[in-house]
Amino acid sequence: MGGAAGILCYVGAYVFITYDDYDHFFEDVYTLIPAVVIIAVGALLFIIGLIGCCATIRESRCGLATFVIILLLVFVTEVVVVVLGYVYRAKVENEVDRSIQKVYKTYNGTNPDAASRAIDYVQRQLHCCGIHNYSDWENTDWFKETKNQSVPLSCCRETAPSCNGSLAHPSDLYAEGCEALVVKKLQEIMMHVIWAALAFAAIQLLGMLCACIVLCRRSRDPAYELLITGGTYA
């Protein structure tokens, strides 16, 4: 249980950290709900593990029953995470399409603010340029103000060390737009949550099955029945 809890917390933390790099392109903070829930489930699994160990060691029927009930609640929670993950994964494309235009419009290369740094980061990390392609920069206020017919250096290919962002040398620039890649990245993040929740939901089912088997055996054991009713075994 401790290992499972650690993995779930790691997945949730990964979503938070990665989301922070792309939050300017995705305004719906409710998308983080699955990550919050999965971290809470991870923390709860530590407690469940302790209850399960103690109940098994002490052979407590009440403890095992509590263990099964909590596992059932965690299982239901993980199913909810999967459903929410699919719901928000489907909304990613519309959210990015609505937000990315605003972010590119506010770009300021000479004194970059948070949004501008986010654009440069995404273009370097995802190897993209502009919203659909590098020509989108021609419609931005930054491009019109600089009047040097060039795009940000973050659009330059790593294989073009002499690139200065000039549109006169388009082969030096990333050809693919960032919108599709940002959508793909955010959907991948959500899939990590979904797969983690599905995997550990299956583990919870196995845990509940094992605990139920132990409970059934305990209830059918005459010596155990005498023990819990205060009798003696001759």
Side-chain angles (χ1 to χ4, degrees):
M1 283 293 180
I7 293 172
L8 286 177
C9 289
Y10 170 80
V11 172
Y14 169 77
V15 172
F16 270 101
I17 293 170
T18 310
Y19 179 88
D20 187 56
D21 295 328
Y22 297 89
D23 62 348
H24 288 87
F25 304 94
F26 200 78
E27 297 177 349
D28 189 356
V29 295
Y30 293 106
T31 307
L32 290 176
I33 289 177
V36 172
V37 174
I38 208 168
I39 289 176
V41 168
L44 183 59
L45 280 179
F46 281 112
I47 301 172
I48 293 173
L50 291 175
I51 293 174
C53 288
C54 292
T56 303
I57 292 171
R58 298 182 62 182
E59 297 187 343
S60 168
R61 187 175 181 182
C62 180
L64 284 171
T66 302
F67 181 61
V68 171
I69 292 171
I70 296 177
L71 278 181
L72 179 60
L73 292 174
V74 171
F75 174 77
V76 172
T77 303
E78 286 171 340
V79 171
V80 170
V81 169
V82 171
V83 173
L84 288 175
Y86 273 108
V87 169
Y88 288 121
R89 186 176 182 274
K91 293 174 61 179
V92 164
E93 189 169 357
N94 289 335
E95 284 291 327
V96 173
D97 184 59
R98 187 176 65 183
S99 303
I100 198 168
Q101 299 276 355
K102 301 176 187 176
V103 181
Y104 270 82
K105 199 167 185 179
T106 59
Y107 185 84
N108 183 344
T110 56
N111 182 24
D113 55 10
S116 300
R117 289 195 298 271
I119 290 174
D120 285 330
Y121 174 83
V122 166
Q123 292 191 152
R124 288 193 181 98
Q125 288 296 115
L126 301 184
H127 297 170
C128 58
C129 184
I131 299 173
H132 302 105
N133 54 59
Y134 58 80
S135 65
D136 291 324
W137 280 104
E138 297 181 64
N139 300 319
T140 63
D141 294 337
W142 173 82
F143 183 89
K144 294 171 183 176
E145 289 171 4
T146 55
K147 298 179 181 179
N148 58 9
Q149 296 297 303
S150 64
V151 297
L153 295 179
S154 56
C155 282
C156 292
R157 295 178 182 272
E158 294 178 348
T159 54
S162 60
C163 173
N164 60 3
S166 174
L167 290 178
H169 304 284
S171 60
D172 290 345
L173 309 175
Y174 293 123
E176 193 167 358
C178 293
E179 182 176 0
L181 295 178
V182 169
V183 169
K184 181 181 177 181
K185 183 67 175 179
L186 290 172
Q187 288 180 336
E188 284 177 357
I189 293 170
M190 200 55 61
M191 281 306 299
H192 289 153
V193 174
I194 292 170
W195 282 114
L198 282 173
F200 287 103
I203 293 174
Q204 304 313 314
L205 278 176
L206 181 61
M208 285 188 288
L209 178 62
C210 292
C212 287
I213 290 172
V214 173
L215 274 173
C216 289
R217 287 180 177 176
R218 289 285 183 269
S219 63
R220 293 173 183 174
D221 188 345
Y224 183 75
E225 289 294 334
L226 286 169
L227 179 64
I228 61 174
T229 55
T232 56
Y233 196 58

